[in-house]
Amino acid sequence: MNNITGILVSIIFVFLIIGAASLMKKLNILSNEGSRKFIHIGVSNWWIIAMIFLTII
């Protein structure tokens, strides 16, 4: 059950990062390059979620 929770939290986290980058790009806060960098930097922190929720069997 813990792995399923980890997968769901991971998916939500990734989509939140992509959504935030898209919103900032739409509001002209970020350029195309800035949006891409924001996504890469934000998603690179996914390993913290993996360490908390996912277990290796």
Side-chain angles (χ1 to χ4, degrees):
M1 186 64 174
N2 202 21
N3 284 338
I4 294 172
T5 303
I7 291 170
L8 291 175
V9 171
S10 296
I11 291 169
I12 292 168
F13 176 76
V14 169
F15 280 109
L16 282 175
I17 295 293
I18 293 171
S22 297
L23 179 64
M24 286 189 281
K25 182 180 169 194
K26 187 175 184 178
L27 295 174
N28 291 325
I29 297 171
L30 293 175
S31 64
N32 287 339
E33 183 72 16
S35 176
R36 184 186 67 81
K37 288 182 179 183
F38 180 84
I39 291 171
H40 281 97
I41 292 169
V43 173
S44 69
N45 295 313
W46 170 82
W47 69 271
I48 297 169
I49 293 173
M51 294 295 291
I52 293 171
F53 288 103
L54 301 176
T55 58
I56 299 174
I57 298 174

